[in-house]
Amino acid sequence: MVLKVFFPSCCSSADSGILIGRWISEQNAAVILAVVHFPFIPVQVKQYLGEVQRVTKVTVSVLGSWSNSKQEKEESLSEFLEDLGTIFCHDPWIQISKEGDSKFWSCSTLQKHSKNPQEEEIILVYYDQRKVMLSHLHPTLDTAGQGAEDASKLSAIFDTVARSQVLFMTDRYDEGPIKLTHWQSDGVEASIIVELMKQASVPACMLLTFLLSLVSGICRSRVLKFWPLSFLWSKLSTCEQLGHRLQHLHIISSNKKAQNQTQLMRKANIFVSLLIDVALGILLMSWLYRKNRIGHLADTLIPVADHVAEELQDLLQWLMGAPAGLKMNRALDQVLGRFFLYHIHLWISYIHLLSPFIEMILWYVGLSACLGLTVALCILSDIIALLTFHIYCFYVYGARLYCLKIYGLSSLWRLFRGKKWNVLRQRVDSCSYDLDQLFIGTLLFTILLFLLPTTALYYLVFTLLRLLVVIVQGLIHLLVDLIDSLPLYSLILRLCRSYRLAAGVKFRVLEQQDGKPLRLLMQINPLSYGGVVQMYRLPTYSCYPKDSWASLCKKLFLGELIYPWKHKGEKQN
């Protein structure tokens, strides 16, 4: 049998005493948690361990003795340490000793209650108790078989140390009958500061919860459910982002304790994401209001809008002629061109009507950056949508007209073949047509077929313009989703304290000599950055259409409307 002893490296310089920890019989392993120093009263030690076991639900007991003598080991101390095994009655009784400045340790076991004592091979494993205590083991998702069994064994070691927090409240500097050495013996002051900060955050969370309940009550009022406000709330990405951030504030201000490590990390990621988002928004706001940049932006906006309108007018004039040498239907070409030119004229009049108020609108819009960079980006996306509304109208007109002709041609093509679409059964059935129907169908098919190139050209041009706007808005929303979903706290934790996100462990051989126990050092393997993002990625409010390229090309060919994104609860057309 191989006996595995997990010994905390922080106790390697502790004074002589007894070893307390947990015995895991399934693995034939002992997890040492602390060293109790001499002198002590055995009855008080047993009472203390009983209280720890009642609170932590971990079977903590005295596992053996520890001797750290800077001089030659005294026989009286050796006999005394052996006699402790009869008082605490643990089988096997582990004896670990460190002699002087020697790098070799001796580790042996006594089996007084065994009828056939056998010499066991001992493996002494050092582990960093602080890192194991503060870390959380993340087994890989594809562990199976032997890998899953090893992960469960490691989880037992990590769980034993993590659940023994009560044991680490007492150390060798406390005035009391029991003096311990463990990982927190030199850092009690830091833990006290953390507890004070936790207590101070309670009233702040209560105030934030009250304000959030007030804001959420206003958002749930019936006023916002009427048609104009409800329509704007569902279509504007700024409103969606504000609602998303409001849910985040509800989560982090909740007084409900996190049930597991995942919920705790989610709260921390949301808090850091909000903090960085607001900090970036304030930096953007300070940049905008410096050196009158908003005034310069307002003065630049009108000429840019006029230039875009002029380019569209030139494009329409080119389409009304002979674009690329193509022969178009003159009458339909003139009708469509003048129709779209009139819309551009209305749009220019609308922009110049708003020009005196644009600087004031931008000034108030810039204040919204204090709510976060994501809110400012969503406002920018909405402004782009409003400024390019005429392009969207052109795209809708062209798409509807092109779609009408495509479906008309497909229906008339079925008429030539003696088929028709069965609406009830959703399939194509045979049908007999008379001569008049076939004659009218032939005329309509010929008219639609010869008008199709003109309509298709307008549809193609405006679709390309619409796709350009969609790509710009999509890039903005990708940046918003990146800020919303990126687990910044987990990534910072992975960069600074990688042991907090443990994916497994590795062992390094420290000493291997005949007659001496094999000494290993257990080191924590952290999660990869990709694994951290995959495990702790936050959900976002927008879900992009997951259409394949074939489906997208089919929609473009049939003239179906394409949106840059769709919100929750909204179907894609």
Side-chain angles (χ1 to χ4, degrees):
M1 294 286 292
V2 177
L3 174 63
K4 298 178 288 293
V5 180
F6 291 86
F7 190 85
S9 57
C10 58
C11 298
S12 59
S13 60
D15 297 333
S16 300
I18 56 175
L19 304 172
I20 59 175
R22 178 190 176 191
W23 173 256
I24 305 177
S25 58
E26 296 84 0
Q27 305 180 24
N28 197 32
V31 183
I32 308 300
L33 298 174
V35 176
V36 180
H37 305 301
F38 297 124
F40 57 83
I41 301 176
V43 177
Q44 293 179 343
V45 174
K46 290 182 178 180
Q47 291 178 353
Y48 177 72
L49 294 180
E51 294 176 359
V52 171
Q53 182 174 348
R54 178 177 56 83
V55 175
T56 62
K57 308 300 181 183
V58 177
T59 307
V60 182
S61 59
V62 179
L63 301 179
S65 60
W66 159 255
S67 175
N68 186 10
S69 177
K70 296 183 180 180
Q71 300 175 354
E72 295 294 330
K73 186 190 290 186
E74 300 178 359
E75 294 183 359
S76 59
L77 179 61
S78 177
E79 294 177 357
F80 175 71
L81 293 175
E82 292 182 4
D83 293 338
L84 288 176
T86 61
I87 299 176
F88 292 101
C89 300
H90 185 272
D91 195 17
W93 180 258
I94 303 172
Q95 291 180 325
I96 305 177
S97 61
K98 179 182 179 183
E99 300 178 0
D101 295 331
S102 175
K103 66 176 183 178
F104 301 110
W105 290 30
S106 62
C107 182
S108 59
T109 59
L110 294 177
Q111 299 179 358
K112 295 184 178 181
H113 302 284
S114 178
K115 296 181 180 179
N116 297 320
Q118 298 178 356
E119 185 177 355
E120 293 184 323
E121 182 181 353
I122 300 176
I123 299 177
L124 193 58
V125 182
Y126 295 96
Y127 70 96
D128 193 326
Q129 198 172 46
R130 177 174 177 269
K131 292 183 178 180
V132 175
M133 173 70 189
L134 298 178
S135 65
H136 178 67
L137 186 63
H138 299 75
T140 55
L141 299 177
D142 55 350
T143 54
Q146 185 66 28
E149 183 179 354
D150 295 338
S152 64
K153 291 180 180 179
L154 290 175
S155 299
I157 307 298
F158 277 71
D159 185 64
T160 299
V161 181
R163 289 168 57 187
S164 304
Q165 295 184 11
V166 178
L167 183 64
F168 304 136
M169 297 301 176
T170 305
D171 61 15
R172 59 184 175 181
Y173 300 108
D174 292 340
E175 295 181 358
I178 299 177
K179 298 182 183 298
L180 303 173
T181 294
H182 45 73
W183 72 277
Q184 201 167 295
S185 298
D186 299 327
V188 180
E189 293 81 2
S191 63
I192 293 175
I193 293 174
V194 171
E195 290 297 328
L196 290 177
M197 292 179 63
K198 289 181 180 179
Q199 295 297 327
S201 64
V202 172
C205 288
M206 292 178 63
L207 178 61
L208 185 60
T209 304
F210 172 74
L211 294 177
L212 288 175
S213 61
L214 185 63
V215 173
S216 61
I218 296 175
C219 294
R220 288 194 299 265
S221 62
R222 294 184 178 181
V223 178
L224 298 178
K225 294 182 179 180
F226 290 110
W227 174 74
L229 295 179
S230 63
F231 179 78
L232 292 176
W233 185 267
S234 62
K235 294 300 180 182
L236 293 179
S237 57
T238 305
C239 299
E240 292 286 343
Q241 178 65 19
L242 289 175
H244 186 61
R245 284 306 188 192
L246 190 62
Q247 293 178 1
H248 282 175
L249 289 174
H250 273 295
I251 292 174
I252 62 177
S253 63
S254 174
N255 54 5
K256 185 179 180 181
K257 188 176 180 181
Q259 300 295 327
N260 48 40
Q261 181 73 10
T262 304
Q263 294 182 3
L264 182 63
M265 293 293 289
R266 185 190 178 198
K267 278 191 173 184
N269 286 322
I270 291 175
F271 177 75
V272 173
S273 177
L274 278 172
L275 197 63
I276 294 178
D277 186 21
V278 173
L280 293 176
I282 292 176
L283 286 177
L284 176 63
M285 184 175 64
S286 64
W287 181 81
L288 286 175
Y289 288 96
R290 194 179 301 167
K291 298 181 181 179
N292 195 24
R293 287 190 174 92
I294 290 185
H296 297 315
L297 183 63
D299 295 336
T300 309
L301 192 61
I302 299 299
V304 170
D306 290 337
H307 179 70
V308 172
E310 291 176 1
E311 292 294 332
L312 284 176
Q313 286 179 343
D314 294 340
L315 178 63
L316 288 173
Q317 293 292 343
W318 179 70
L319 290 175
M320 292 172 65
L326 297 176
K327 181 65 176 178
M328 311 294 291
N329 185 277
R330 184 67 179 172
L332 181 62
D333 193 11
Q334 292 295 321
V335 169
L336 292 178
R338 292 175 182 176
F339 176 75
F340 292 129
L341 285 174
Y342 179 70
H343 275 71
I344 294 177
H345 175 70
L346 291 178
W347 179 252
I348 294 175
S349 303
Y350 168 69
I351 291 296
H352 285 281
L353 185 65
L354 290 179
S355 58
F357 310 100
I358 286 181
E359 185 175 357
M360 182 181 63
I361 293 173
L362 291 179
W363 195 89
Y364 284 108
V365 166
L367 292 177
S368 64
C370 64
L371 299 176
L373 180 62
T374 55
V375 176
L377 290 175
C378 288
I379 292 177
L380 177 62
S381 176
D382 292 334
I383 290 176
I384 291 175
L386 291 176
L387 292 178
T388 58
F389 184 71
H390 56 304
I391 296 178
Y392 177 72
C393 291
F394 295 164
Y395 167 70
V396 170
Y397 298 152
R400 291 303 184 190
L401 188 58
Y402 176 77
C403 181
L404 178 64
K405 290 191 176 182
I406 288 294
Y407 280 104
L409 287 173
S410 62
S411 179
L412 294 173
W413 178 249
R414 285 194 294 268
L415 182 141
F416 289 156
R417 296 182 296 131
K419 306 286 185 180
K420 73 171 184 177
W421 175 253
N422 192 330
V423 180
L424 297 177
R425 301 196 178 192
Q426 294 294 309
R427 68 181 186 185
V428 177
D429 294 335
S430 299
C431 181
S432 58
Y433 298 96
D434 54 21
L435 187 60
D436 295 337
Q437 291 175 333
L438 290 174
F439 178 72
I440 295 176
T442 303
L443 291 178
L444 292 177
F445 182 83
T446 305
I447 294 172
L448 292 179
L449 183 61
F450 283 106
L451 294 179
L452 181 63
T454 304
T455 309
L457 184 60
Y458 276 88
Y459 168 69
L460 177 62
V461 171
F462 293 135
T463 299
L464 293 177
L465 292 176
R466 175 61 183 165
L467 286 178
L468 181 62
V469 177
V470 165
I471 289 173
V472 173
Q473 289 184 286
L475 291 177
I476 294 175
H477 280 268
L478 279 177
L479 183 57
V480 171
D481 284 354
L482 181 64
I483 299 175
D484 283 342
S485 63
L486 200 63
L488 298 174
Y489 175 77
S490 300
L491 291 175
I492 295 172
L493 203 63
R494 171 62 179 84
L495 181 63
C496 301
R497 295 186 177 182
S498 57
Y499 60 86
R500 295 288 298 271
L501 304 172
V505 298
K506 61 181 178 181
F507 296 93
R508 183 165 63 90
V509 178
L510 296 179
E511 177 189 349
Q512 187 175 11
Q513 187 179 4
D514 295 338
K516 297 291 183 178
L518 176 61
R519 293 171 56 192
L520 303 176
L521 177 62
M522 186 175 74
Q523 297 175 335
I524 294 177
N525 280 333
L527 277 172
S528 63
Y529 288 99
V532 172
V533 174
Q534 181 181 3
M535 185 166 293
Y536 292 113
R537 188 175 186 271
L538 297 173
T540 56
Y541 78 92
S542 62
C543 48
Y544 292 87
K546 298 179 176 57
D547 296 330
S548 61
W549 285 104
S551 177
L552 183 61
C553 293
K554 180 181 177 182
K555 287 183 178 181
L556 290 175
F557 178 75
L558 295 178
E560 298 181 5
L561 296 181
I562 299 175
Y563 297 93
W565 69 91
K566 57 177 181 177
H567 302 296
K568 291 188 295 186
E570 181 180 352
K571 294 182 179 179
Q572 185 78 13
N573 288 336

